[in-house]
Structures are given as C-alpha cells and as structure tokens.
Amino acid sequence: MSTHKQSAQDFAILGGAPMWTNPTHVGQLYFPSWERYEEAMRGIFERQYYTNHGPLAQEFEAKLADFFQVKHVIAVTNATLALMMAVKALGLKGRVIVPSFTFIASAQSLTLSGVTPVFCDADPLTYQMSLAHVEKLLEEEPDISAILGVNLWGGSCNPKALDELGARHGVDVYYDSAHAFGCTIDGAPIGHFGRMEIFSFHATKVFSTTEGGCITTNDDTLAAQLRNIRSSYGAGPIVDVPLTSNGRFSEAQAAIGLLNLETFDQAITNNKDSFSLYRSRLRDIPGIALIEPQGVDQSNWQYLVCHIDDAKFGMPRDVLLSVLKAENINARRYFYPGIHRSIPYVHDFPQYIDALPESDKLCASLIQLPIGVLVSAEKIESICGLIADAQRHAVSIVKGMKAAP
Amino acid sequence: MFMKQTVADLASFGGASLFEEIRSTSNLVRPDIEKFLGYSKIFFDQHRYTNDGPLVKLLEQRLAAFHGARHCISFCNGFWALVLTMKCLALPGKMEVVMPSLTYRRMADLAAWAGLTPHYCEVDVGSLAISPEHAAACINSNTALLLGVHPIVNTCDVQGLEELSARSGVPLLFDSVESNYESYRGKKIGGFGRAECFSMHASKLINGFEAGYVTTDDEELAAKLARMRGFGFFGQDNVEVLGMNAKLNEVHAAMALAGLDDLLDQVNRNRVRYRAYQDALADIAGIRLLQFDETEQTSFKTIVIELLPDWKLSRAATLKLLHAEKILARPYYSPALHQKTTSYATIFDALPITEALAERFMLMPCGHFVTEDDVRQTATLMRFLDAHAGEIKSRMP
C-alpha cells in the first residue's frame, strides 16, 4: 500500500498534490443501468399513470411485503415523512423516547408531529441505543407514550429485547430502521418488530428510490390508517385518522425501486466485499477500529464507521477528517453533533446537554468512510493506504498544520 | 358518436357508458419523453439523485424566472411546501390562520401540521375566492397568518388581500396551486404576498410526478425554507433550524423541467378544449361555464360549471349519472371545510355563502386525455339529461 506520501509535506493538507481530483462522498448510490431506467420510464409514459398508488407502486409494495415477510408495506415519499405519519397513526401524545446518537430526523419527526422527544444515551459497547437507559427513563420519566427504537448502521438495537421492554411498561414501540434494509435477526428480515418499522430508500442507502421510504407492519388497522394519512386514492378503505398529509410514492420512485430490488443481492455482495477489504487493510493501523454491525446475523454493510483513538492514531479525529478531505475523500463525522446538542433541542431541553456522555464520546470519535457502488476495491486500497500513511506521519502532519499560517 | 335515444340508454339505467375509458378532471399532461430522458441523463451521469442536485437547481432557476420572483425553492410536494411556509410566516405566539372554507379538502389538515388553527372565512360570490372583506372580519389578536387561496378558475382579489395584510400587519401567503400560469393585473402570479406555494402533482398544470415549490422575493425566507426541507442543515454537521425531509428528487425535477418546456403548447391545447366547452355548452340554459379572464394570462386548464336553477336535476344526481357514463366529474370543493369534523379545533361563524356555493359547481373532464370530440359528446349528454330530466328523476331511486 503505497500512496506516494513519503513525508508530511506530500499530504495535500500541507501543500502536496491531492491524491484525487474529484471528491469521493459517502453514500451507497446504487442505481439501475441507463438502459433499464429508460425502459422503465418509457413504460410509465406509455401507461400515463404517474402517481396516486399506481400499478408500479402497488407491485412495489407487494414485492417488498414478500421481501420483509410482513403483511403490509406502505411506500412513502421519504422516511422522515413516514416517521411523522407513524406518530399520527399511533395517536401518540406526550413524550417519546428516542436515542440522541442517531440521525436528527428521528427526533425531528417527533417534534413536527406534536410530541416531545426524551433522549436516551448510547450503549458504550454496541454504539446502539442503550436499552438499560431506556428502562431507566421508563421508570423515572413521566408521560412516556412510546419508544422510537433506532437500528443503526446495518446493525440492530436488539429490537426483540426492546419490544419486551415496551410491553412490560405498556408503551408502544416502533422503529426507525432507515439503516436496516436487508438485515436479518434469527434468519428473518428486520421489519416485523414493534408496532411498525420505517425504512429509508434515500440515494445514500443500500436500497434506493432516490428519495423514498416505507413502513412495514403486520397490523391491519394500523396499515389502513397509514394509507389514509399518506393519502392514497384507491389504496384500501377510508378509515378515520386524526390528520391526513401527502406522503405519496410516485411511479418513478416505484420503477427505480423495482429495478434496484432485482439487483439488491449484488449490492449486498459488493458492500460485503468492500467491508471485508476495509477490515483487512485497516486492521494493522494503530488507533483506528472498524465498527462491526451489531445484533444482526446478516448486515447490509452499508456504513463503514470507524472509531478513532486520537492518542494511538497520533492525531485528533477532526484532523484526520481534514487530511482526508484535502485528498478529496469526504469522510464524515457520523453523527455529529448529538441531537441533544443541535437546534432546537440544545435550547429547548438544556437538561440533556451533559446527561448523555456516551453519545458525546461517540460524536467525538467516529468517522464514516466511503463505501458503495462508486467506491472500487482499488479506491478502498488507496484510502486505507492514505490513512496508514497519515497515521505514520501523524506527528509531523500535526506539527506542520500548527506551523502553517 | 352519441347513440343514446331514450332514457333507458343511459348507463345508470342499463345502457352502454358513453366512454369506454374514464374521462377525469386530472390534467395528467404527458411531457415529451425524449426531453425527460435528456434531463435525466444529466443527473444520471453525475450520480446525483437528490440533495440539491443539478436538475433541482435548474428547475428552481427556471421557475423563479418564469414567475418573475427572486427565489424559488422546490419541495417533494405542494403539501409540505405549504406546511413549511406556513410555519415560517406565522406570527410567533399566534395561532390562527384565516383561510376560505370553500377550498382544497386537505387545507385544514395542512394548517394543523403547521401547528395552526384554521379560522374559516367566506368567499366572494363572483370569484369563488377568499373575500378580503370577510377575511378582515376574521382577523383578531390571535391571527398568525392570512392564506390567500386562488380559486380554480382565475385569481383571487390579490390587491384587496395585500391591502388587508398591510393594514393588519398579518403576513399574507398565497396558495397558488391552481394558478401557476395566471397573471393578476398583468403581473405574473408568483410575485405577490410574502410567498406563494405551488404544486406539480401529476394532476396539475406542470406534471412533476409529485412535486411542489415556493416563490418569494424574501431572501431570508428562501434560505430558511431551503434549510427546513433538508433537515435544517446549513453545510455539513450544522443544523440551523427545526427541519424535516421535504426535498425534491432529481427524477421528479426532470419531469417538471420537461413539463415546463411543453407549457406554451399545453396552454394552446387547453384553450382548444375550453373553446369546445364554450361552444358546446352555450345553448344549455341550466349550465353556466365559468369563463377564464382572457384579459389576463391564463392556462385554460380546469373546466368548472355552475348548475343554475334551470337545471332540473340535483348535482348529486347529475354526478351519479355522469359517473355511470365514465365521466368522472367532481363536485367543486364540497363539502366545504367547516362542514367536516376534524380531530383538531377550527373556528368559524355562519358561512351561508360558502354553504350555498358548495352545492352548485362541478368540475368537468379536462386535461391530456380529453379530446374536442369528448367535450362535444359530454355536452350532448348534458343536453340529453336536460331534455329528459323529468323522466330521469322519476326513474332514479
């Protein structure tokens, strides 16, 4: 693994030539071939059915129901809207437990739907939400109506245990499984836990409809309510719901989803190979530890997240990010800052600021590296070589950066 | 060709339906597939499928120029465009949004998502649009926002509402979902009030599958909306405002761009259809076709008729008869919003004008699937219903 970075001065951050001319972003970015895309779009133009639960949307939901092995799949504009619809369908009031160490949309979906988030901390071993802390909150905090569990990074928060916890305390449990498409627990796909689960089909996810998402549930009543909240025109009977919206899923989204579903196994295989390559190349670099998906028997390997030990690596996490960025590798902090330190929560709920130490540690120490269809094995070799060189020259790089004007 | 000879030939009474395929009131305009694919190639080659991609940027530039507004912000659909704009513009600490009751059936739910309470006002009998005079009477110390909703045909009293907003200090937001192409006193809709919201749902003038946008001259508002639709992010790892995901994807943006390219042609096609209705309905005494104001720029898109006292069948009966013939005519904003029960509070006084108007109007088939001949056949059917109204009534349960 040579990157031609013989000394600190060869790094772009200190004036050397960047290794790449174009940036590499994190994000899966799987998409059908142009030919298949064109064919599917011509089909839509021939049928002249564009949205409102059209034939492709119906086929897509049916195929996904098979995929997830659940009774109902409700395809939605995007996962955040799906999470907001969930609050209304469940009729949640008061406060809902949600982890602070996750993507901010989980909490936003609560606030925008008129319920208050109660933040739980992360588990220091699994990095998933801490079920012990959830239990403590259920015992101590008033007015909790539900738990929004989050399955992070192609792993899980142990939804079996969380479901039991919710049942013991008589509160609804539902899941933000935006990262969990294609993951299995005990041989069965994630998707049947809690009252419902919400998945994301954003372009950066392993399974994409550009924007998009879905809700999975085995509950007939809930499914009917969700379809009415989404506004579906002809998708089942009209039932009473507190509020409707527009969360409709277009035929274009469905067409892309159907095509990506056909090749989904290839995406998983590609991710798994990439993940393995990262694992083997990062293994011997001091101070960087790859986080393996937790709590699943099969992952979708869609997030490559590493823990950086500043002292062992020789430079702080944020310096490493700058070094990589200068070479045109847009690695990311993931997540940063914690939701409890973000607007509006940092102002509205100051009680959480220093109450979630594990979240804060993770926010300060993790990086996400690119993995997906645009990240070749060759590029992964180079990225890992770059990181190894950065570690090797860490002291001089840091010194050089301090000396720079 | 119209084949019905006797009342028994009506589909409601066992005859064959006038049309084999449904004729609806949805625009469902189909842009040029090659144009759509040409735009698609741009995002495809850049691997940019969403998140402020090249086509979303291009679409926003084109729409801002089209409306003569300084800023355009696109959204996943018109619904969330309106909710987020309402949230931004509502006066802090105040709760009520003054809006017409004779309007889009989800408008009250929209307000509820925005955390506001609908306060319904009357519409003007002539325009069917929000009446500034009645709206003024609804404004009180708790009024957060004034929602000027354009009607389906022509525009509302923009000047009257702008004056009311200036006088009362209540911000004015226009729902211009039905008025993308219209002008008001020679100036393009899209440049009035604090902001205007539009939809590009497939049933609207511009078909973006599902899509929406907001135009405004207010730079601060535009910046805030652009953040709110993308989780509140401004730059990486920096959330500046409570947001959500209401982003428009690139495929839908490609569709909207292709629709925008076709717009002039579409308006010409719409005009032909409208002229056919004008011609074919002229001699039916019980029907009044709502006329587009041709002194302004207008899309001629949606066909609305009023059933006058000379029309002997009830609207419900008329709709039932038409539906059986596969003419999917629809009642115009009926029931009115205040006539429906909601899970949240609403505020209104007696709204007799709205209630009377909610019974009288219907939307007739229009859009991409409707030919001039369809229009003539539909009119012939209406004439047939008119001529046999007595017998039809006696045969209907």
Side-chain angles (χ1 to χ4, degrees):
Chain A
M1 278 194 290
S2 171
T3 60
H4 313 292
K5 305 283 185 193
Q6 309 293 337
S7 72
Q9 272 60 45
D10 291 338
F11 284 82
I13 197 148
L14 295 178
M19 279 180 66
W20 293 276
T21 43
N22 295 315
T24 298
H25 299 279
V26 299
Q28 294 272 285
L29 303 179
Y30 289 97
F31 200 80
S33 71
W34 176 259
E35 291 68 29
R36 283 156 58 86
Y37 173 81
E38 179 178 339
E39 190 190 357
M41 293 301 140
R42 285 189 188 279
I44 292 172
F45 274 65
E46 271 163 35
R47 280 186 298 279
Q48 302 188 67
Y49 204 124
Y50 305 102
T51 183
N52 292 13
H53 206 56
L56 296 183
Q58 291 174 41
E59 184 187 343
F60 181 65
E61 288 188 349
K63 288 214 162 124
L64 281 185
D66 283 347
F67 177 90
F68 284 114
Q69 299 165 31
V70 295
K71 275 177 86 176
H72 304 283
V73 169
I74 297 103
V76 181
T77 308
N78 64 53
T80 308
L81 279 177
L83 284 166
M84 291 164 67
M85 286 164 51
V87 174
K88 298 299 175 189
L90 292 170
L92 300 182
K93 302 262 187 282
R95 307 165 80 208
V96 175
I97 296 174
V98 64
S100 57
F101 185 68
T102 182
F103 187 58
I104 193 160
S106 313
Q108 289 173 335
S109 75
L110 300 174
T111 310
L112 287 167
S113 308
V115 291
T116 303
V118 173
F119 295 117
C120 78
D121 209 352
D123 183 304
L125 296 177
T126 65
Y127 303 162
Q128 303 281 338
M129 67 195 288
S130 160
L131 301 198
H133 194 209
V134 170
E135 179 140 45
K136 187 164 177 280
L137 291 170
L138 285 168
E139 280 159 6
E140 292 173 2
E141 295 285 329
D143 211 17
I144 304 284
S145 68
I147 305 161
L148 174 51
V150 178
N151 293 311
L152 276 190
W153 298 335
S156 90
C157 65
N158 194 355
K160 253 163 57 181
L162 188 56
D163 277 0
E164 285 163 18
L165 192 54
R168 249 193 340 269
H169 289 264
V171 300
D172 279 328
V173 182
Y174 67 114
Y175 291 91
D176 178 342
S177 297
H179 293 181
F181 189 90
C183 299
T184 63
I185 294 174
D186 297 338
I190 290 183
H192 61 280
F193 292 103
R195 298 290 308 279
M196 65 179 108
E197 298 197 47
I198 286 90
F199 293 83
S200 169
F201 309 149
H202 185 259
T204 53
K205 304 296 190 291
V206 64
F207 177 72
S208 160
T209 61
T210 68
E211 292 279 351
C214 79
I215 305 173
T216 58
T217 183
N218 284 315
D219 183 327
D220 298 344
T221 310
L222 209 46
Q225 287 169 326
L226 287 163
R227 289 180 192 284
N228 277 264
I229 294 170
R230 177 183 64 179
S231 306
S232 302
Y233 300 105
I238 306 270
V239 296
D240 226 17
V241 294
L243 212 51
T244 64
S245 71
N246 177 1
R248 288 187 295 266
F249 194 76
S250 77
E251 289 292 280
Q253 289 171 293
I256 293 164
L258 285 165
L259 292 175
N260 278 335
L261 202 53
E262 283 176 30
T263 54
F264 180 66
D265 287 347
Q266 294 165 34
I268 289 277
T269 304
N270 182 56
N271 278 358
K272 194 173 181 179
D273 291 347
S274 296
F275 202 99
S276 301
L277 186 56
Y278 267 116
R279 184 190 290 125
S280 70
R281 295 298 181 264
L282 294 174
R283 183 178 294 142
D284 298 327
I285 304 174
I288 183 166
L290 182 59
I291 294 168
E292 297 286 344
Q294 302 284 326
V296 291
D297 40 40
Q298 182 192 293
S299 177
N300 52 31
W301 313 100
Q302 67 173 327
Y303 288 101
L304 200 297
V305 184
C306 299
H307 181 271
I308 304 296
D309 182 323
D310 293 3
K312 284 187 189 152
F313 193 85
M315 63 172 72
R317 185 269 313 259
D318 286 353
V319 174
L320 174 60
L321 279 174
S322 308
V323 168
L324 294 174
K325 178 122 200 234
E327 307 290 348
N328 266 321
I329 297 299
N330 281 355
R332 300 288 302 273
R333 299 182 282 198
Y334 204 59
F335 306 93
Y336 183 89
I339 299 177
H340 59 298
R341 293 185 185 275
S342 298
I343 289 173
Y345 308 107
V346 64
H347 302 307
D348 293 353
F349 307 117
Q351 69 268 32
Y352 294 113
I353 287 175
D354 292 316
L356 302 160
E358 298 304 331
S359 291
D360 288 339
K361 276 187 220 162
L362 296 176
C363 291
S365 60
L366 300 184
I367 66 166
Q368 184 191 4
L369 295 171
I371 183 169
V373 72
L374 301 179
V375 190
S376 63
E378 189 190 2
K379 182 160 258 173
I380 292 170
E381 296 272 11
S382 302
I383 291 170
C384 295
L386 176 64
I387 293 171
D389 286 345
Q391 193 277 326
R392 209 170 294 129
H393 298 287
V395 176
S396 343
I397 291 172
V398 172
K399 201 186 282 175
M401 284 174 70
K402 276 187 187 144
Chain B
M1 175 142 179
F2 192 83
M3 304 286 282
K4 296 183 196 295
Q5 310 264 320
T6 70
V7 167
D9 293 333
L10 289 169
S12 285
F13 307 123
S17 61
L18 180 60
F19 297 113
E20 278 181 29
E21 301 282 332
I22 276 174
R23 298 295 188 276
S24 86
T25 60
S26 271
N27 204 30
L28 300 176
V29 66
R30 178 172 62 184
D32 182 75
I33 176 81
E34 306 306 330
K35 284 228 162 96
F36 166 74
L37 290 171
Y39 284 118
S40 292
K41 202 83 176 73
I42 295 171
F43 81 73
F44 184 89
D45 287 343
Q46 295 183 28
H47 308 284
R48 292 287 302 276
Y49 310 111
T50 183
N51 292 21
D52 215 10
L55 299 186
V56 158
K57 283 188 183 138
L58 178 60
L59 178 66
E60 290 177 345
Q61 284 166 14
R62 294 261 313 263
L63 287 171
F66 175 77
H67 287 286
R70 285 181 60 200
H71 305 281
C72 171
I73 305 98
S74 64
F75 292 87
C76 59
N77 57 49
F79 190 98
W80 295 103
L82 258 170
V83 171
L84 292 181
T85 311
M86 286 170 96
K87 282 180 86 79
C88 283
L89 288 180
L91 293 173
K94 309 203 180 225
M95 287 298 294
E96 296 179 17
V97 51
V98 174
M99 61 164 77
S101 172
L102 190 71
T103 189
Y104 174 55
R105 64 200 170 107
R106 299 191 203 285
M107 197 67 87
D109 284 3
L110 255 147
W113 276 108
L116 298 168
T117 303
H119 188 147
Y120 299 124
C121 68
E122 282 283 27
V123 292
D124 176 76
V125 180
S127 68
L128 304 184
I130 178 169
S131 152
E133 193 186 314
H134 284 117
C138 295
I139 288 179
N140 58 45
S141 60
N142 198 23
T143 306
L145 186 66
L146 177 57
L147 188 64
V149 187
H150 287 297
I152 290 181
V153 173
N154 302 322
T155 53
C156 65
D157 180 357
V158 172
Q159 191 188 344
L161 291 169
E162 287 197 324
E163 283 168 4
L164 174 58
S165 171
R167 212 162 54 234
S168 62
V170 176
L172 172 62
L173 168 63
F174 283 102
D175 173 334
S176 306
V177 164
E178 298 296 342
S179 306
N180 310 57
Y181 198 74
E182 325 301 300
S183 64
Y184 176 82
R185 296 188 181 171
K187 186 185 164 191
K188 217 39 177 293
I189 292 297
F192 295 101
R194 291 286 301 280
E196 302 202 38
C197 290
F198 299 87
S199 166
M200 297 189 289
H201 180 264
S203 64
K204 302 296 183 237
L205 187 73
I206 300 169
N207 174 2
F209 290 107
E210 295 274 354
Y213 63 96
V214 172
T215 56
T216 181
D217 288 337
D218 182 336
E219 191 171 348
E220 206 176 311
L221 174 65
K224 190 171 178 190
L225 285 170
R227 282 161 211 189
M228 285 176 86
R229 75 171 170 192
F231 307 105
F233 280 112
F234 180 61
Q236 282 186 1
D237 301 336
N238 177 44
V239 170
E240 297 218 326
V241 59
L242 173 64
M244 60 180 287
N245 183 2
K247 287 171 285 168
L248 181 64
N249 71 54
E250 288 287 294
V251 183
H252 291 188
M255 188 71 162
L257 280 163
L260 208 45
D261 288 343
D262 172 55
L263 199 49
L264 276 179
D265 286 344
Q266 187 206 150
V267 170
N268 286 330
R269 298 193 298 271
N270 292 348
R271 187 190 291 110
V272 168
R273 218 173 279 124
Y274 170 67
R275 293 277 182 259
Y277 268 110
Q278 275 183 316
D279 186 50
L281 294 176
D283 63 346
I284 307 178
I287 291 178
R288 179 175 78 94
L289 174 69
L290 264 61
Q291 305 285 318
F292 287 100
D293 177 0
E294 299 193 35
T295 66
E296 299 284 358
Q297 194 173 310
T298 182
S299 71
F300 301 100
K301 179 173 86 71
T302 309
I303 305 297
V304 181
I305 61 170
E306 181 180 12
L307 299 180
L308 302 171
D310 280 349
W311 185 259
K312 295 292 180 285
L313 296 164
S314 71
R315 186 179 64 181
T318 308
L319 285 168
K320 201 171 172 192
L321 290 157
L322 293 178
H323 289 180
E325 305 293 344
K326 299 219 170 163
I327 296 171
L328 212 57
R330 281 171 32 209
Y332 181 95
Y333 294 144
S334 182
L337 296 184
H338 73 281
Q339 297 172 308
K340 302 199 272 195
T341 51
T342 55
S343 66
Y344 44 84
T346 59
I347 302 166
F348 55 92
D349 290 323
L351 297 168
I353 301 170
T354 295
E355 286 178 18
L357 293 174
E359 297 299 316
R360 297 224 299 259
F361 294 85
M362 337 193 299
L363 277 65
M364 297 300 284
C366 66
H368 198 71
F369 289 88
V370 176
T371 65
E372 279 178 274
D373 184 57
D374 293 345
V375 172
R376 282 190 287 271
Q377 297 225 43
T378 302
T380 306
L381 177 70
M382 296 301 277
R383 221 172 284 119
F384 184 85
L385 297 180
D386 190 38
H388 298 90
E391 191 187 341
I392 292 168
K393 269 159 88 170
S394 70
R395 288 183 67 153
M396 284 185 96

